[in-house]
Amino acid sequence: MVIGPIIFVVTGIAGMQDMKKVGRVGGKALFYFEVVSTIALLIGLLLAHLFKPGANFNIDIASLDQNAVSQYAHAAPAATFIEFILNIIPETIFDAFSKGDILQILLISIIFGAALSSLGERGKLVVEVVDKISNVFFEMVKIITKLAPLGALGAMAFTIRKYGVGSLLPLIKLMATFYFTAILFIVVVLGGIARFVRFNIFRYLVFIKEELLIVLGTSSSESALPQLMQKLEKMGCSKSQEQIPKRSPPTTKLYLIVYIDPAKPEAYASAKRRLQDLAAKLHDYLAAVAKAKEAIAEGELMQVQVGQRISKPYRDAPLSLYRALRSINPSPYMYYYNFGDFQIVGASPEILVRQEVRASAAGDKQIVTIRPLAGTRPRGATPELDEKLATELLEDPKEIAEHVMLIDLARNDVGRIAKTGTVVVTEKMAIEKYSHVQHIVSSVEGELLANLSNIDILCATFPAGTLTGAPKVRAMELIDQVEPVKRGIYGGAVGYISFNGEMDVAITIRTA
């Protein structure tokens, strides 16, 4: 009975305000459910006929409750098409939920969505109330999920007590048949549907592996539905194709472009393979981002920087690349390393940490500096547009929240190695302009404790919070889990450590 209301509140049909969408999505939902469930039933009947999982249970037919059996016998006669259609219509609204009839609940959902669409803005409050009610049902399912193993163990104990240990073998056969049928349905039927809409069912199964384990442990998909719905919402999937928006939807589109040489054989086929590979990597990246957002929502993290590697062949001299980079994108830290078998070329705008000796009235002081750089906008084509973009950057709540977090992280890092009371923010949220972009930048300084070396400074500040997240250790653990390849030099440190005790190292970004 719990699943009925959950389906009602999570279908999203109730949240639509476009009558065309209500009819279209509702019709698709009914048609899809009927077709796919019919296919699932046929597969189940076929495999049950082949494997006969109920055989050898050694149950005395005479001992069965005849009244209970008769209920199923009376329900068995085939209904005509007209009777089937009429059965979709519930006697009352509450009758649909009490019976748990999914088709009737879907019909009520469509009618409810149509009613809301006629209310316009007045229906927004109702949608918000329904959304809050869904949270209550989700908690109910969580409670039932925790108690489900007790019920399963109790049923097993009853079966063994009544029919003996020998009944376990046919029971195992029954469960094996069930799971084999489910796997066959997922791979063949749902996999075929997913392939038709250009969706990889196996990648999705990896994404919902926790929910699959819940289903495996409880033998019920209802127990995993709330968690799955929440995970999909965190990934960016809305409950409907068009909910009442809280803010304007984004209009940005991502285009994948592959360059090919028509003179080469199989150029078009090679380009298609490359596009498919890029699309697959994008799907993996979005799944990693979804997992990161889930960790943030659960309170494990405040922010995390999930990256992906971009590879492109380069056949010219590496030094030529460095010279071009220095000309096109001059940056505070330019570097070219030749290690024989490979070379490193980069133009980094951001320091990891700097340690320098400054003269003062009280004598020389060793000052440690971190300058978090986060928040980006392109340069404007005119001075006026450039200033407008800078103002927009400083007024962006997301950019400001991220930058404030990184300032706090820098203060914590410097505070580990600085004298008490010396950690200060000497520059806060200034705009720093480069050839192609402009950033928000701040500066955090502190006086180094006595008897600490540059290696101690590196240990306290590496890696940079702008490339990991906060808290830094948990962010690094998550990055190690979700990023498919090791970062290598990316996010590392490049610079110098001098014999006089000073150091200046940059973060290895914008590097090849």
Side-chain angles (χ1 to χ4, degrees):
M1 183 174 174
V2 175
I3 192 62
I6 289 179
I7 291 178
F8 174 73
V9 295
V10 301
T11 52
I13 297 175
M16 297 184 185
Q17 285 190 317
D18 187 331
M19 286 295 294
K20 292 182 179 179
K21 288 185 178 292
V22 170
R24 184 166 62 250
V25 175
K28 286 181 179 179
L30 288 170
F31 178 77
Y32 177 84
F33 174 81
E34 183 61 29
V35 171
V36 176
S37 60
T38 301
I39 295 174
L41 178 62
L42 292 175
I43 293 176
L45 291 174
L46 176 62
L47 293 179
H49 178 73
L50 291 175
F51 295 107
K52 296 180 174 57
N56 301 320
F57 263 91
N58 299 320
I59 298 175
D60 184 6
I61 303 297
S63 66
L64 296 178
D65 185 352
Q66 298 300 320
N67 293 328
V69 175
S70 63
Q71 293 179 7
Y72 294 99
H74 289 306
T80 64
F81 178 77
I82 300 299
E83 291 173 335
F84 170 77
I85 296 298
L86 292 175
N87 188 59
I88 297 177
I89 304 173
E91 295 181 7
T92 66
I93 293 177
F94 301 103
D95 186 56
F97 294 102
S98 62
K99 291 180 178 179
D101 192 313
I102 296 178
L103 284 177
Q104 292 185 357
I105 294 173
L106 286 175
L107 179 63
I108 295 296
S109 300
I110 297 171
I111 297 173
F112 191 82
L116 276 183
S117 67
S118 64
L119 290 175
E121 284 297 315
R122 292 177 297 169
K124 182 185 295 185
L125 178 61
V126 180
V127 175
E128 293 175 355
V129 171
V130 171
D131 190 58
K132 286 181 171 55
I133 292 175
S134 69
N135 295 327
V136 177
F137 288 116
F138 285 169
E139 290 302 318
M140 291 173 60
V141 173
K142 287 181 181 178
I143 295 173
I144 295 172
T145 301
K146 293 178 181 179
L147 298 176
L150 295 177
L153 291 174
M156 291 175 62
F158 172 80
T159 302
I160 295 173
R161 173 68 179 83
K162 189 172 182 64
Y163 302 107
V165 179
S167 63
L168 286 180
L169 290 178
L171 186 62
I172 292 173
K173 181 181 178 182
L174 174 65
M175 295 302 296
T177 305
F178 168 76
Y179 285 117
F180 176 74
T181 305
I183 293 171
L184 186 66
F185 174 76
I186 291 171
V187 174
V188 177
V189 180
L190 294 185
I193 296 172
R195 186 176 180 83
F196 177 75
V197 296
R198 299 181 181 179
F199 179 72
N200 192 315
I201 189 67
F202 296 105
R203 293 183 187 276
Y204 179 69
L205 292 176
V206 172
F207 177 66
I208 62 169
K209 56 182 180 294
E210 292 88 356
E211 288 71 29
L212 292 177
L213 290 175
I214 293 175
V215 174
L216 185 64
T218 62
S219 297
S220 171
S221 59
E222 297 182 11
S223 57
L225 180 60
Q227 181 174 323
L228 179 60
M229 292 297 300
Q230 292 172 351
K231 178 181 284 190
L232 290 175
E233 285 184 53
K234 290 171 185 176
M235 191 179 181
C237 301
S238 65
K239 292 180 182 177
S240 65
Q241 291 186 1
E242 185 182 57
Q243 288 181 303
I244 300 174
K246 296 181 180 178
R247 60 181 180 181
S248 299
T251 57
T252 304
K253 292 184 178 180
L254 177 65
Y255 295 92
L256 299 177
I257 301 175
V258 175
Y259 294 95
I260 60 175
D261 184 358
K264 292 184 178 180
E266 301 293 332
Y268 178 71
S270 176
K272 285 190 65 177
R273 287 194 298 269
R274 177 60 176 160
L275 275 175
Q276 292 171 353
D277 181 58
L278 289 174
K281 289 181 178 178
L282 176 62
H283 181 275
D284 293 340
Y285 177 71
L286 293 177
V289 171
K291 188 169 185 178
K293 291 171 68 177
E294 183 179 348
I296 292 172
E298 292 176 354
E300 297 180 26
L301 294 162
M302 290 180 285
Q303 70 175 24
V304 61
Q305 311 296 331
V306 180
Q308 56 180 331
R309 176 171 293 180
I310 298 176
S311 301
K312 185 174 179 61
Y314 181 78
R315 298 180 178 84
D316 293 330
L319 189 57
S320 298
L321 177 61
Y322 170 77
R323 288 171 175 166
L325 196 61
R326 185 174 63 181
S327 174
I328 296 171
N329 185 37
S331 301
Y333 298 90
M334 306 287 305
Y335 42 89
Y336 168 75
Y337 288 95
N338 188 349
F339 292 100
D341 293 338
F342 66 95
Q343 294 77 31
I344 296 173
V345 176
S348 176
E350 183 177 3
I351 73 169
L352 171 68
V353 64
R354 178 187 297 139
Q355 197 267 116
E356 57 188 339
V357 178
R358 291 184 190 171
S360 67
D364 291 344
K365 295 182 179 180
Q366 292 180 293
I367 303 299
V368 177
T369 303
I370 294 178
R371 298 187 76 237
L373 184 149
T376 308
R377 288 294 187 277
R379 294 297 303 272
T382 64
E384 294 77 15
L385 180 57
D386 200 50
E387 190 63 29
K388 180 180 178 181
L389 290 168
T391 302
E392 175 190 300
L393 178 58
L394 291 173
E395 293 177 351
D396 188 322
K398 175 264 179 187
E399 302 286 9
I400 297 301
E402 178 185 4
H403 196 89
V404 169
M405 203 176 302
L406 292 170
I407 292 176
D408 290 340
L409 193 59
R411 293 175 62 186
N412 292 338
D413 288 346
V414 175
R416 293 191 185 98
I417 50 175
K419 294 180 180 179
T420 303
T422 65
V423 178
V424 292
V425 179
T426 57
E427 185 180 27
K428 186 175 181 180
M429 296 192 189
I431 294 293
E432 201 165 81
K433 298 179 183 289
Y434 295 92
S435 59
H436 293 75
V437 293
Q438 48 190 322
H439 301 289
I440 303 176
V441 63
S442 299
S443 184
V444 179
E445 296 182 354
E447 185 180 349
L448 184 66
L449 287 167
N451 303 320
L452 292 185
S453 67
N454 288 325
I455 300 302
D456 295 318
I457 298 173
L458 279 176
C459 290
T461 59
F462 181 85
T466 51
L467 270 75
T468 52
K472 193 183 290 186
V473 174
R474 180 66 187 104
M476 288 189 290
E477 290 174 349
L478 184 66
I479 288 170
D480 185 60
Q481 293 173 11
V482 301
E483 291 188 4
V485 295
K486 300 298 181 183
R487 288 189 169 186
I489 193 174
Y490 172 73
V494 54
Y496 70 84
I497 300 177
S498 67
F499 289 107
N500 68 354
E502 295 188 349
M503 67 181 296
D504 193 1
V505 291
I507 303 174
T508 313
I509 54 176
R510 300 175 191 177
T511 298

